[in-house]
Amino acid sequence: MPAEAPTVTGISPKEGPPGTRVTIRGQHFGNSPRDLMGLTICGCNCLLSAEWVSPNKIIARSGPANCKGDIIVMTRQGGIGASTVQFRGYMETVGPLKESAVWVEEEISNWGRRAMSTTAMQQQDPLGLSVEDSSKSLPDDQMNQYFPHPSSESLSSEDFVPARFLLKNHHGTSFDDLKAGLSHLQRKVGAHKEGQLSFLKANVGAVMDQLDTLCVLRDKFEQDALQVRMMPTVRLEQSIEDSRREADRLFKEVLNRRENADATRNALSAMQRNKFLFLLPTSIEKNSIKGDYDLIVNDYTRAKSLFSDSDIEIFKRVFEEVDKRIDSLISRLKTQLTTMPCTLEDQKKLARNLASLDGDNNHAWNAIEARYNYLLESLTAPPEKPPENSNNALSPSSKLGGGQNWQGELPIKIQTVEDCLEVFSFQFPELWKLGQSYFSGELQVEASSGHNKSFRDIILRSIKMLCEIVKENLTMPVGTLTPKHKNSNKNSTDFGPWLPQCLTEVVFLYKSLCGLDLPSDALALINNLIQDLRFHCLLVIMKQTSEQVRMLYKQETWVHDLPSATLPGKQSGGLVTALPSLFESKVTDAVTLLKESIFVHIPGETTVNPILANPSVHSQYGSLAQSIFQGFVQTLEHLSSSKEVMSATPMFLSQILTSSLPPTRQSGNRKLPSENPQLIILSNCLYTRDIVLPSVMKSLASLTGDQETPPLLLARETAVNLLSDLDKQLCEKYLESKTDPLVGTIEPSMYIGEFDWAKLPERSVIERGDLRPYIKEILANLISVNCEVCKF
């Protein structure tokens, strides 16, 4: 008949912490301790601590369970039993003076439950007193002064010092309370000792059984030693040693694999956490190729703050590689910073990045010096030959056109001025803005105190060099117009057609520089250059106009297509060619060009024409006007003495002498053979003096605003005198050319007729016309010459 399964029907107590003594009651627990094969309380094996008392009673200690569960008893005959009751296990903080049936780790065991709060972990005071607030205890520095040797107030520390414990936790506790606490501690110690004695009394049976077992083992050991004649412990010791070595080998192998796995896992975890650092060298190269230097600066700054002071070897090695890449990048950025051409924004960006990478404040100043040197090199570089039909080159003014060289290629020195102005207008503002960014802190560096004066000198030297280049190329004698046209005798007047446009470019540059907030002395240099160019342009244009007026004789066509002009004091007009009108148009064009060029208003000027406000310049302006008038007089003189005019006079006289009637004119634009060129020149002279000269003086006075200025009055007076003298000379010359042939005709007739001046006929005879025919012919010729002169 099979045995019945064990059944648990009651326990005492029903709950408790690990190590609680539990009395288990029920049925069919076996007939002896050997029948008890297993015991679990709340799933924890408690067989080692179980004590079989009777078939209905077992005493055991609970395991480290933190739950509620069944008590299962297993016997040899009945097998696994059942339970009608349950035991609840819970965790309890074990103090240094509290008995525990299980091993208590120094750290709080988790055993599968949630971590306890700080309040539950706090140990009770051994004196049974409340612990003082930490704000009332002595500070640690003062405690270390009282106890210089290693000491601690913790009860579980090996360096526990009671005096330090009392100062730390009971600094303000009264002496009576401390005595009461001492009594409480003594009672707890006495109760602990009594508990140990009662534990032995309660388990005396188990202790005696263990002693009996040890005695049996000793007797059996002695018998085996006598039979084998060898100490069994030697073989046992050898087996244990072999087992220990094998276990150590296996353990070390497992431990090594575990250590390697842990090391690999830790390395992978460290690489994953710090992959930013390990990928930084590659990231620097990629971003450097892309030109994204801001991202490189941000990454390097972050890595430097995190890993520059690290003691980990792998981090040191990686960061050394990062520093090498950064040093190489800094070298490339320095080269890019000082390599021209480079845009202003790129230079600012490079300067900021370099300042962030190595903290050197000189990079920004090096950028300024590089841009300054590039400006100087660009200004002094030889100009490139402009392409044919280029629309960008300066075009000569059509109002001063007409010279054979003006229609050719652009002169080299004019091209040099154009290139310098273009380079300066583009590069100088960038140089100034870069300097302002440096001194304002925009480049993230602190400007040196000595660089203020140096930058000012750079600005002034740049402007001075531009002024010198412009003056040298526009005001000095020119040796070469183009590589194909060489003429060492040319002077600055050859640049007349281009000077107004050059002046306009300089004025435009000045206006653009006024918006940069430059120092006053820097703007004064450009202002002085403008005034010099104005004066030079005035001289060149006036001299060029004078030269063109002097060459007007080449444009005389002797065609009097203008209507007959009525001169003051004349009843009818004389024949006038286009020469006076050409003279007036040349002067008017020159005045208009001067208004459009040298009298353009610039910022800061208070007068309309500041150049002529200078008395010396005004006086020279009058002298230049006189030279223009002298040039036109020279043109008329050249025409009067030319071979064409001299050869036309005899033909005219022969027509007069062979005809008894006055010469007639045909209408239209055709040149009549009866018209004497000397009379046309005389008519042009009078027309210029009386009609053209007032208009020309009015045009010249429009630059000064007043015709009554002494230089212009002198110029007008000189012009009137020159034209009047020329008119007188032309009349005398013409009359002389007319009277000589008449006299030559009269004298032979007088001699042939034996004319006697003493025997003149009476007046009545002359009035009646009773004269010889040749006398009438002579009188008719004289009247004709007089009419011709008076008419023209």
Side-chain angles (χ1 to χ4, degrees), residues 307 309-316:
F307 303 103
D309 298 331
S310 176
D311 295 332
I312 301 176
E313 185 64 25
I314 185 63
F315 289 167
K316 288 183 178 180

Side-chain angles (χ1 to χ4, degrees), residues 139-150:
D140 292 339
D141 296 340
Q142 189 173 356
M143 294 288 288
N144 293 331
Q145 292 179 2
Y146 292 156
F147 302 96
H149 301 289

Side-chain angles (χ1 to χ4, degrees), residues 90-352:
Y90 58 87
M91 294 299 175
E92 182 183 48
T93 302
V94 181
L97 302 179
K98 187 174 181 62
E99 179 182 355
S100 176
V102 295
W103 175 259
V104 180
E105 297 287 348
E106 293 183 359
E107 299 180 358
I108 303 300
S109 300
N110 196 345
W111 286 337
R113 61 188 181 89
R114 292 180 299 173
M116 302 180 66
S117 63
T118 306
T119 305
M121 296 286 294
Q122 186 176 1
Q123 297 181 358
Q124 297 181 355
D125 187 72
L127 299 179
L129 304 175
S130 61
V131 180
E132 296 177 352
D133 189 5
S134 60
S135 61
K136 297 181 181 181
S137 61
L138 294 177
D140 292 339
D141 296 340
Q142 189 173 356
M143 294 288 288
N144 293 331
Q145 292 179 2
Y146 292 156
F147 302 96
H149 301 289
S151 60
S152 175
E153 63 273 6
S154 177
L155 298 175
S156 59
S157 176
E158 296 180 355
D159 299 329
F160 173 72
V161 177
R164 182 162 183 160
F165 173 81
L166 293 177
L167 289 175
K168 184 70 176 178
N169 299 307
H170 299 286
H171 176 66
T173 306
S174 63
F175 184 71
D176 293 336
D177 291 340
L178 291 176
K179 289 174 62 178
L182 179 60
S183 300
H184 174 73
L185 181 60
Q186 291 175 350
R187 288 195 301 272
K188 288 181 68 175
V189 172
H192 179 67
K193 292 180 178 179
E194 292 179 358
Q196 293 179 349
L197 182 59
S198 61
F199 176 78
L200 292 175
K201 289 180 180 181
N203 297 281
V204 65
V207 173
M208 295 304 295
D209 290 341
Q210 293 171 3
L211 291 175
D212 292 341
T213 301
L214 291 176
C215 291
V216 172
L217 288 174
R218 187 192 63 182
D219 295 340
K220 185 64 176 174
F221 179 77
E222 290 177 353
Q223 291 177 6
D224 291 342
L226 292 175
Q227 292 176 1
V228 180
R229 295 182 181 181
M230 180 180 178
M231 295 296 293
T233 57
V234 175
R235 184 180 297 175
L236 178 61
E237 182 178 1
Q238 184 177 1
S239 299
I240 292 174
E241 183 66 22
D242 293 341
S243 300
R244 186 185 66 78
R245 285 196 298 268
E246 184 65 18
D248 289 343
R249 186 185 66 79
L250 294 175
F251 179 74
K252 287 181 179 180
E253 182 178 353
V254 173
L255 185 60
N256 289 335
R257 288 201 298 268
R258 179 180 178 182
E259 289 177 352
N260 293 335
D262 291 342
T264 303
R265 184 168 53 254
N266 292 336
L268 293 175
S269 177
M271 291 181 64
Q272 184 65 25
R273 291 195 307 270
N274 303 288
K275 65 179 181 179
F276 159 73
L277 176 63
F278 295 103
L279 296 178
L280 186 56
T282 305
S283 176
I284 291 175
E285 292 298 328
K286 291 182 179 179
N287 293 326
S288 176
I289 296 174
K290 295 178 181 179
D292 195 353
Y293 301 120
D294 292 334
L295 184 58
I296 296 176
V297 171
N298 294 334
D299 292 344
Y300 179 68
T301 304
R302 176 185 171 193
K304 190 175 182 180
S305 62
L306 294 175
F307 303 103
S308 61
D309 298 331
S310 176
D311 295 332
I312 301 176
E313 185 64 25
I314 185 63
F315 289 167
K316 288 183 178 180
R317 291 170 57 187
V318 174
F319 200 76
E320 288 177 358
E321 180 64 24
V322 171
D323 285 337
K324 291 180 180 179
R325 302 291 178 90
I326 292 296
D327 292 340
S328 176
L329 176 63
I330 290 175
S331 178
R332 293 199 301 271
L333 293 183
K334 287 181 179 179
T335 304
Q336 294 180 17
L337 182 66
T338 56
T339 301
M340 292 295 163
C342 181
T343 63
L344 177 61
E345 293 301 324
D346 288 343
Q347 269 197 317
K348 288 182 179 180
K349 183 178 179 181
L350 292 173
R352 286 194 295 265

Side-chain angles (χ1 to χ4, degrees), residues 19 61 115 128 171 229 248 344 366 402 425 533 550 593 671:
R61 293 188 177 273
H171 176 66
R229 295 182 181 181
D248 289 343
L344 177 61
N366 293 338
S425 62
L533 283 179
R550 189 176 290 108
L593 185 59
K671 180 181 178 180

Side-chain angles (χ1 to χ4, degrees), residues 353-371:
N353 291 331
L354 284 172
S356 301
L357 289 175
D358 61 358
D360 191 357
N361 295 340
N362 292 326
H363 295 308
W365 182 251
N366 293 338
I368 293 175
E369 291 182 338
R371 186 163 287 278

Side-chain angles (χ1 to χ4, degrees), residues 536-594:
H536 183 63
C537 189
L538 175 65
L539 294 179
V540 171
I541 291 177
M542 295 293 286
K543 289 181 179 180
Q544 191 64 59
T545 304
S546 176
E547 184 65 23
Q548 292 177 6
V549 169
R550 189 176 290 108
M551 296 290 109
L552 284 178
Y553 68 89
K554 296 181 180 180
Q555 303 181 33
E556 178 61 87
T557 59
W558 306 105
V559 177
H560 46 86
D561 54 351
L562 297 177
S564 298
T566 302
L567 302 177
K570 302 286 184 176
Q571 294 181 354
S572 61
L575 296 178
V576 179
T577 64
L579 194 63
S581 299
L582 289 176
F583 166 64
E584 183 180 3
S585 65
K586 291 294 183 182
V587 178
T588 303
D589 290 345
V591 171
T592 303
L593 185 59
L594 290 175

